[in-house]
Amino acid sequence: MPSIQAIDLDAAVTHLLSDSGLPTADLANGARVEFLGARRNDVLEGCVALERCGELALLRSLAVSPQSRGSGLGAMLVEHAEDFARQRGYRAIYLLTTDASSFFAARGYQRVDREQAPASVRATSQFSALCPASSILMFKPLANE
């Protein structure tokens, strides 16, 4: 497995997100996003990001390269993102998904009615503009250990 660590937004990340059909429009506009990436031999195999929403985080930009799909890398990235969020003192993680709700449910995320989203999450461009209204909102509380 590749090592997972904090990374900067660069061309490889943008390319992986675009190839995965994930939005990138707001990333260059100062969204408060921190990325974690998995690289092997300097090749980006996957990434995930957390966007600060006060005491909450919005998990976004989870992408795994085609050659690494099915390897468990996506689950590892989510686990690292959760640990990263705990270290920063976030109380919970929210996310929006159109097609991965079962993946996240298997990791303890629960569906939440979009109208119940906290104001700080609703204020993100992901929630308000980039993700379709049909996206499923999910939530996971974090126990700070």
Side-chain angles (χ1 to χ4, degrees):
M1 273 295 164
S3 65
I4 298 173
Q5 57 194 20
I7 60 171
D8 292 325
L9 176 64
D10 63 12
V13 172
T14 303
H15 182 74
L16 179 59
L17 295 176
S18 295
D19 283 357
S20 300
L22 296 173
T24 60
D26 64 325
L27 295 175
N29 298 333
R32 295 175 5 189
V33 177
E34 294 181 275
F35 276 91
L36 297 173
R39 292 186 192 273
R40 186 188 329 244
N41 300 327
D42 282 338
V43 175
L44 183 67
E45 293 189 13
C47 64
V48 66
L50 291 172
E51 182 170 353
R52 176 180 276 291
C53 301
E55 294 182 335
L56 308 172
L58 182 67
L59 187 141
R60 55 178 288 179
S61 306
L62 175 62
V64 175
S65 65
Q67 65 270 21
S68 296
R69 289 185 186 143
S71 69
L73 181 57
M76 285 180 55
L77 285 162
V78 170
E79 193 175 304
H80 275 77
E82 291 171 359
D83 290 342
F84 192 77
R86 281 186 198 92
Q87 291 168 10
R88 284 175 169 48
Y90 294 125
R91 293 185 302 111
I93 295 178
Y94 284 80
L95 64 88
L96 292 158
T97 183
T98 56
D99 59 0
S101 60
S102 59
F103 171 85
F104 287 107
R107 283 149 189 84
Y109 288 80
Q110 303 162 10
R111 287 179 77 138
V112 179
D113 196 344
R114 284 179 67 108
E115 289 76 38
Q116 295 177 330
S120 60
V121 172
R122 284 195 313 262
T124 65
S125 57
Q126 280 278 300
F127 188 93
S128 62
L130 297 176
C131 289
S134 60
S135 297
I136 297 167
L137 179 65
M138 300 186 83
F139 156 84
K140 183 176 184 177
L142 296 176
N144 286 317
E145 298 146 3

